[in-house]
PDB file of all heavy atoms in Angstrom:
ATOM      1  N   LEU R  53       3.948-200.976 -28.286  1.00  0.00           N
ATOM      2  CA  LEU R  53       3.098-200.166 -27.401  1.00  0.00           C
ATOM      3  C   LEU R  53       2.324-199.109 -28.193  1.00  0.00           C
ATOM      4  O   LEU R  53       1.142-198.859 -27.918  1.00  0.00           O
ATOM      5  CB  LEU R  53       3.953-199.509 -26.322  1.00  0.00           C
ATOM      6  CG  LEU R  53       4.552-200.438 -25.264  1.00  0.00           C
ATOM      7  CD1 LEU R  53       5.438-199.662 -24.315  1.00  0.00           C
ATOM      8  CD2 LEU R  53       3.453-201.167 -24.492  1.00  0.00           C
ATOM      9  N   ALA R  54       2.998-198.482 -29.163  1.00  0.00           N
ATOM     10  CA  ALA R  54       2.319-197.461 -29.968  1.00  0.00           C
ATOM     11  C   ALA R  54       1.192-198.069 -30.798  1.00  0.00           C
ATOM     12  O   ALA R  54       0.083-197.506 -30.881  1.00  0.00           O
ATOM     13  CB  ALA R  54       3.341-196.757 -30.873  1.00  0.00           C
ATOM     14  N   ILE R  55       1.449-199.225 -31.403  1.00  0.00           N
ATOM     15  CA  ILE R  55       0.399-199.893 -32.195  1.00  0.00           C
ATOM     16  C   ILE R  55      -0.750-200.338 -31.301  1.00  0.00           C
ATOM     17  O   ILE R  55      -1.937-200.199 -31.660  1.00  0.00           O
ATOM     18  CB  ILE R  55       1.007-201.087 -32.950  1.00  0.00           C
ATOM     19  CG1 ILE R  55       2.011-200.595 -34.003  1.00  0.00           C
ATOM     20  CG2 ILE R  55      -0.078-201.931 -33.611  1.00  0.00           C
ATOM     21  CD1 ILE R  55       2.815-201.704 -34.643  1.00  0.00           C
ATOM     22  N   TRP R  56      -0.425-200.848 -30.139  1.00  0.00           N
ATOM     23  CA  TRP R  56      -1.447-201.257 -29.170  1.00  0.00           C
ATOM     24  C   TRP R  56      -2.328-200.071 -28.783  1.00  0.00           C
ATOM     25  O   TRP R  56      -3.563-200.146 -28.836  1.00  0.00           O
ATOM     26  CB  TRP R  56      -0.738-201.851 -27.957  1.00  0.00           C
ATOM     27  CG  TRP R  56      -1.611-202.333 -26.847  1.00  0.00           C
ATOM     28  CD1 TRP R  56      -2.973-202.241 -26.741  1.00  0.00           C
ATOM     29  CD2 TRP R  56      -1.171-202.986 -25.650  1.00  0.00           C
ATOM     30  NE1 TRP R  56      -3.412-202.787 -25.568  1.00  0.00           N
ATOM     31  CE2 TRP R  56      -2.331-203.246 -24.883  1.00  0.00           C
ATOM     32  CE3 TRP R  56       0.078-203.358 -25.166  1.00  0.00           C
ATOM     33  CZ2 TRP R  56      -2.250-203.871 -23.640  1.00  0.00           C
ATOM     34  CZ3 TRP R  56       0.158-203.987 -23.931  1.00  0.00           C
ATOM     35  CH2 TRP R  56      -0.997-204.247 -23.177  1.00  0.00           C
ATOM     36  N   GLU R  57      -1.700-198.959 -28.402  1.00  0.00           N
ATOM     37  CA  GLU R  57      -2.446-197.771 -27.998  1.00  0.00           C
ATOM     38  C   GLU R  57      -3.335-197.263 -29.129  1.00  0.00           C
ATOM     39  O   GLU R  57      -4.539-196.977 -28.922  1.00  0.00           O
ATOM     40  CB  GLU R  57      -1.459-196.676 -27.558  1.00  0.00           C
ATOM     41  CG  GLU R  57      -2.110-195.393 -27.071  1.00  0.00           C
ATOM     42  CD  GLU R  57      -2.573-195.480 -25.632  1.00  0.00           C
ATOM     43  OE1 GLU R  57      -2.033-196.320 -24.880  1.00  0.00           O
ATOM     44  OE2 GLU R  57      -3.487-194.699 -25.259  1.00  0.00           O
ATOM     45  N   ALA R  58      -2.756-197.133 -30.314  1.00  0.00           N
ATOM     46  CA  ALA R  58      -3.526-196.603 -31.439  1.00  0.00           C
ATOM     47  C   ALA R  58      -4.652-197.551 -31.836  1.00  0.00           C
ATOM     48  O   ALA R  58      -5.779-197.114 -32.112  1.00  0.00           O
ATOM     49  CB  ALA R  58      -2.591-196.355 -32.618  1.00  0.00           C
ATOM     50  N   GLY R  59      -4.361-198.857 -31.860  1.00  0.00           N
ATOM     51  CA  GLY R  59      -5.375-199.821 -32.260  1.00  0.00           C
ATOM     52  C   GLY R  59      -6.559-199.858 -31.317  1.00  0.00           C
ATOM     53  O   GLY R  59      -7.726-199.894 -31.750  1.00  0.00           O
ATOM     54  N   ARG R  61      -7.643-197.471 -29.344  1.00  0.00           N
ATOM     55  CA  ARG R  61      -8.422-196.230 -29.388  1.00  0.00           C
ATOM     56  C   ARG R  61      -9.153-196.068 -30.727  1.00  0.00           C
ATOM     57  O   ARG R  61     -10.302-195.608 -30.758  1.00  0.00           O
ATOM     58  CB  ARG R  61      -7.508-195.038 -29.137  1.00  0.00           C
ATOM     59  CG  ARG R  61      -6.920-195.044 -27.713  1.00  0.00           C
ATOM     60  CD  ARG R  61      -6.280-193.745 -27.335  1.00  0.00           C
ATOM     61  NE  ARG R  61      -5.757-193.800 -25.978  1.00  0.00           N
ATOM     62  CZ  ARG R  61      -6.482-193.610 -24.881  1.00  0.00           C
ATOM     63  NH1 ARG R  61      -7.783-193.370 -24.975  1.00  0.00           N
ATOM     64  NH2 ARG R  61      -5.923-193.655 -23.687  1.00  0.00           N
ATOM     65  N   PRO R  73      -2.231-199.087 -23.200  1.00  0.00           N
ATOM     66  CA  PRO R  73      -1.048-198.995 -22.328  1.00  0.00           C
ATOM     67  C   PRO R  73      -1.056-197.760 -21.429  1.00  0.00           C
ATOM     68  O   PRO R  73      -0.549-197.808 -20.305  1.00  0.00           O
ATOM     69  CB  PRO R  73       0.110-198.955 -23.318  1.00  0.00           C
ATOM     70  CG  PRO R  73      -0.402-199.628 -24.544  1.00  0.00           C
ATOM     71  CD  PRO R  73      -1.851-199.288 -24.607  1.00  0.00           C
ATOM     72  N   SER R  74      -1.629-196.642 -21.916  1.00  0.00           N
ATOM     73  CA  SER R  74      -1.664-195.438 -21.085  1.00  0.00           C
ATOM     74  C   SER R  74      -2.506-195.665 -19.830  1.00  0.00           C
ATOM     75  O   SER R  74      -2.138-195.201 -18.737  1.00  0.00           O
ATOM     76  CB  SER R  74      -2.222-194.267 -21.898  1.00  0.00           C
ATOM     77  OG  SER R  74      -3.525-194.581 -22.394  1.00  0.00           O
TER      78      SER R  74
END
Side-chain angles (χ1 to χ4, degrees):
L53 291 177
I55 294 171
W56 180 356
E57 182 81 23
R61 295 193 179 278
S74 58

